[in-house]
Amino acid sequence: MGDPIKKIELKDGTIRYRFVIDVGRDPDGKRKQLTKTYDTRKEARAEYAKIKHQTDEGTFVGPDKMTVTEWLDIWLTSATIDVEKATASNYADALLPVRERLGHRRLQQLSEEDVDGLVSWMLTSGRKRGGKVGTGLGVRSVQLTLGRFRAALNIAVRRKLVVRNVAQYTQIPREARRKAAAAAAERVPWSETEVRQFLAAIRDHRLHAPVLLSLIGMRPAEVCGLRWSAVDLEAETLSVELTRTLVDGEVEEKGPKSEKGKRRLPLPKPLHAALKAIKARQAREAMKAGDAYNRSGFVLVDELGTAWKTDKFRRAIYKLMAQAKVRKVRPYDARHACLTYLATSGVPDVIVSAWAGHADLSFTKRVYIHPNAEHLKEAANQLDELLG
C-alpha cells in the first residue's frame, strides 16, 4: 500500500497535503469516504492515523451539518413513542429554551461553555410564560431542561453524531440551588388550624365537597376527574380511577399513572355529608335547567353540569383563600397537608403511601411529609414521658 498522504498544489502555487480515507458504509451499504487537507504532511499523517484508529475501533464520528433543533426533533419522535400525551408535551416544553438559545447551532459545534451559558440565561432571563417574561426560571425548570438535553445528547453519542455529551458535567450554580432550597422550605402546607379556618369559611359554598376531596389527599386532576359512578354513598367509599388534566390547552382524561394510583378510599363523615349535599344540589340545578343541563357525570361541575378544568379549580380556590383570609398555598399542597397529618398522627407509613396512591413508600415520606414545630413539640412531650 502506498503513502495515503498526497502532495497537491493549488492554483496559487500553495502546497497542501491531502488524504482520502474510508470511514464505513451508509445505511444502503455504499462506501463512505472522507477527504481531509492540511498545511503540512505531519499534520495530515497524524490526522489520518487518528481517523484510521477510530474507524477500526468503531468510534469515529464523521462531520455532519445537523443542527441542534433538527436533532431534537428526531430524538423527541423516538423518545416519546410509548409515553402519555402529557409526558410527551412535558418533554417538548422542557427543550424549548434549548431550541431558542442553541437550536440554530450545528450539533457537532456545541461546547460545554454553550451549555453553561444556556443554564445561566435560563436562571436570569429565560422565562417566557407562567410569570413575568424575561425573568429567571426556577431551578426545577432548569433541571428538567438540562436532564432532557443530556438524554438527547446521550443518544446522539450512541448514534455517533457527536463525540461526547457536552452537557454531561454541567451543574446548576450552588447559589441558585441554595435559594431554591430555601424557598421550598418556606413553602409549607397548611397547619390543622388553617385547614379548619378555611373549611369553616366555605362550608356553604358549592366547592366545599371538592375542597374536602383535595384535603383527603386527592390530586387536583383526580378531583376534576371524579365521576359520580366512582362514588358509592351507601358504602361510603370512592374510587380514584380517572384524572382530568389540561395538555397543550386541551382536556385529557386518562387513568392514574400506575396501578397504585388506582385506589378505593373510605369516606370521612364530613366528606360523605358534603358529597350528599352537592349531589342533591346538582339534582335541583338539573331540574331547573332542563335540557340545557349537561349531564357529564362529574362531581365537580358548574350550575349547568359542565365539568371543571384544573386551571379553573385552582383559580377558584385561590379566590376562596383570599375571601377566607387564610395563607395562600397551592391547591396541590392540600395533598401534602393531608399526608403530613396522617403520618404525624400515628398512621403507619405503608398506609399513608397506599392512601396517596404511591408505589414508593420512601418517595411519600421524602416529598410529602413536612413535620413542623407543633409536631416536634409533640415529640418532646413523648420524650417527657420516656425520660421523666
Side-chain angles (χ1 to χ4, degrees):
M1 178 179 177
D3 188 350
I5 312 301
K6 306 299 182 183
K7 180 179 177 181
I8 61 171
E9 184 176 348
L10 303 183
K11 291 181 179 180
D12 61 0
T14 304
I15 301 299
R16 293 285 189 268
Y17 296 88
R18 176 176 296 167
F19 65 82
V20 178
I21 185 171
D22 291 341
V23 290
R25 297 184 179 276
D26 62 22
D28 297 327
K30 184 178 179 180
R31 185 174 66 173
K32 294 193 298 183
Q33 291 186 317
L34 182 66
T35 301
K36 290 276 196 174
T37 305
Y38 292 89
D39 290 338
T40 68
R41 184 181 295 274
K42 182 178 180 181
E43 289 176 320
R45 196 176 300 283
E47 184 64 15
Y48 180 89
K50 176 184 174 182
I51 295 175
K52 183 68 168 61
H53 174 75
Q54 291 176 343
T55 302
D56 292 343
E57 293 290 321
T59 59
F60 176 72
V61 174
D64 195 294
K65 295 182 179 180
M66 182 182 294
T67 66
V68 172
T69 288
E70 289 171 340
W71 170 240
L72 292 180
D73 289 340
I74 294 171
W75 179 78
L76 278 171
T77 299
S78 175
T80 58
I81 289 177
D82 294 323
V83 303
E84 295 178 349
K85 182 179 179 181
T87 303
S89 179
N90 289 339
Y91 278 28
D93 287 347
L95 290 169
L96 289 176
V98 181
R99 292 178 183 273
E100 178 172 349
R101 293 292 289 184
L102 303 174
H104 64 286
R105 298 284 301 279
R106 287 190 182 181
L107 187 64
Q108 291 185 344
Q109 292 178 343
L110 284 182
S111 66
E112 291 185 350
E113 289 75 16
D114 292 327
V115 184
D116 290 341
L118 169 69
V119 169
S120 178
W121 171 76
M122 290 181 68
L123 288 170
T124 56
S125 54
R127 186 176 298 279
K128 297 299 179 183
R129 59 184 180 181
K132 185 177 180 181
V133 175
T135 59
L137 289 165
V139 166
R140 176 167 170 73
S141 295
V142 180
Q143 288 173 331
L144 289 173
T145 294
L146 197 54
R148 297 295 174 227
F149 195 28
R150 282 187 183 129
L153 291 178
N154 277 337
I155 302 303
V157 172
R158 194 174 75 187
R159 296 192 183 183
K160 298 179 183 177
L161 295 173
V162 292
V163 176
R164 64 191 183 93
N165 186 340
V166 294
Q168 182 174 356
Y169 299 109
T170 299
Q171 296 291 328
I172 295 175
R174 182 180 302 174
E175 181 62 16
R177 287 185 278 121
R178 185 194 66 77
K179 289 181 179 179
E186 292 178 358
R187 191 181 68 231
V188 296
W190 278 337
S191 66
E192 296 171 37
T193 301
E194 290 172 311
V195 169
R196 292 191 178 97
Q197 179 184 346
F198 186 56
L199 290 178
I202 68 166
R203 195 164 302 280
D204 297 325
H205 197 278
R206 69 179 298 112
L207 287 182
H208 182 223
V211 166
L212 286 174
L213 290 170
S214 293
L215 286 167
I216 70 163
M218 290 178 63
R219 302 171 176 90
E222 293 173 342
V223 175
C224 291
L226 182 66
R227 293 180 178 272
W228 283 112
S229 59
V231 179
D232 190 333
L233 291 175
E234 289 189 9
E236 300 185 9
T237 63
L238 65 80
S239 297
V240 180
E241 53 192 31
L242 183 72
T243 63
R244 196 166 190 270
T245 56
L246 278 174
V247 180
D248 295 332
E250 297 181 0
V251 175
E252 182 180 47
E253 297 175 9
K254 58 184 178 62
K257 288 185 177 181
S258 67
E259 286 302 312
K260 290 288 186 179
K262 298 178 182 179
R263 57 205 190 277
R264 190 174 186 179
L265 302 176
L267 295 176
K269 287 182 173 55
L271 175 56
H272 181 259
L275 286 171
K276 288 180 67 175
I278 191 61
K279 190 171 187 180
R281 180 173 183 167
Q282 289 176 8
R284 295 193 298 270
E285 291 172 343
M287 183 177 296
K288 181 179 179 179
D291 292 340
Y293 195 80
N294 180 3
R295 302 181 186 279
S296 63
F298 288 98
V299 172
L300 179 53
V301 296
D302 63 17
E303 291 83 351
L304 291 177
T306 301
W308 282 33
K309 302 173 185 177
T310 50
D311 60 336
K312 182 178 180 179
F313 186 38
R314 182 178 63 253
R315 290 194 300 269
I317 289 183
Y318 284 150
K319 185 176 180 180
L320 288 176
M321 289 177 189
Q323 293 172 351
K325 297 181 180 180
V326 296
R327 180 168 55 91
K328 183 178 178 180
V329 298
R330 301 176 308 167
Y332 198 96
D333 286 336
R335 179 169 166 82
H336 289 245
C338 168
L339 300 180
T340 297
Y341 178 78
L342 294 178
T344 56
S345 298
V347 177
D349 292 346
V350 65
I351 302 301
V352 176
S353 186
W355 187 279
H358 290 155
D360 185 352
L361 176 59
S362 64
F363 173 78
T364 307
K365 296 170 67 176
R366 183 176 68 254
V367 176
Y368 286 88
I369 310 304
H370 308 274
N372 57 30
E374 293 179 10
H375 302 134
L376 295 177
K377 185 176 180 180
E378 180 60 28
N381 292 337
Q382 296 291 330
L383 289 173
D384 283 344
E385 296 181 14
L386 173 65
L387 303 176

